[in-house]
Amino acid sequence: MRKRIYWLLPHLSSARRTMDELLLARITEHHIHFVAAEGAPMEGLHAANVLQTSDLVEAAQSGALIGSGLGAAGGVAAALAISAASPAAVVIGLAAVGAMLGTWSSSMIGSSTPSRRLKRFEQAIAQGQYLLIVDVPRSRITEIEELLARTHPEAHFEGVEPNVPAFP
């Protein structure tokens, strides 16, 4: 199980040194993400992608739940209306179709919606700071926080996310 740690770094050179230190601390690049203002230089950094910067995952999960519920309700109504020989198959089939359509449509909306988790960092990012998002095993949270605090006094610790999505 991993926890997500947030740090704000004042400039690119600080962000690059942080990236190198995390790699030396055996945090894989896959778990290190940086967010910066549009057009800011990101050379040497692992930029966050749409999975970290949008509400895609949360929207897809909600869409699947709502779509399957509506599909199941439609399946019950259809099974009653047509007197199906296998009403359970109709309900399950329409619930699956509803889940797929709900996931797809909600993920399209979520991919274009900025992440609610990152909303509190918008002003700092707009002012030119770099946001570090690092996912670390629970057992290493204190170690990584102490490493960054010791080596980057210019950086600001911004907290730990209690629930890191399993995907991304």
Side-chain angles (χ1 to χ4, degrees), residues 1 21 34 40-41 61 70 88 117 123 165:
M1 181 68 97
E21 289 165 1
F34 287 90
Q61 290 171 341
L70 291 174
R117 295 174 183 205
Q123 184 176 358

Side-chain angles (χ1 to χ4, degrees), residues 71-95:
V76 169
L80 291 174
I82 61 172
S83 299
S86 178
V90 173
V91 172
I92 292 169
L94 285 178

Side-chain angles (χ1 to χ4, degrees), residues 133-155:
I133 304 169
V134 60
D135 299 332
V136 298
R138 287 177 186 255
S139 61
R140 297 193 65 198
I141 291 173
T142 304
E143 170 196 349
I144 297 302
E145 286 177 6
E146 289 173 355
L147 169 72
L148 294 177
R150 184 178 65 249
T151 58
H152 292 281
E154 77 281 6

Side-chain angles (χ1 to χ4, degrees), residues 33-114:
H33 313 283
F34 287 90
V35 179
E38 191 170 329
M42 294 285 286
E43 296 85 22
L45 302 177
H46 185 242
N49 62 33
V50 71
L51 295 174
Q52 288 87 35
T53 60
S54 73
D55 276 340
L56 177 107
V57 174
E58 292 85 357
Q61 290 171 341
S62 297
L65 182 64
I66 293 167
S68 62
L70 291 174
V76 169
L80 291 174
I82 61 172
S83 299
S86 178
V90 173
V91 172
I92 292 169
L94 285 178
V97 169
M100 288 186 297
L101 289 174
T103 301
W104 175 76
S105 60
S106 293
S107 64
M108 293 297 109
I109 295 167
S111 67
S112 63
T113 305

Side-chain angles (χ1 to χ4, degrees), residues 2-4 19 22-23 26-34 44-49 51-52 132-137 164-168:
R2 292 185 175 274
K3 292 278 191 175
R4 181 164 283 174
M19 175 83 176
L22 289 171
L23 291 171
R26 299 182 190 254
I27 302 294
T28 62
E29 186 174 352
H30 176 72
H31 296 291
I32 304 168
H33 313 283
F34 287 90
L45 302 177
H46 185 242
N49 62 33
L51 295 174
Q52 288 87 35
L132 165 65
I133 304 169
V134 60
D135 299 332
V136 298
V164 176
F167 175 81

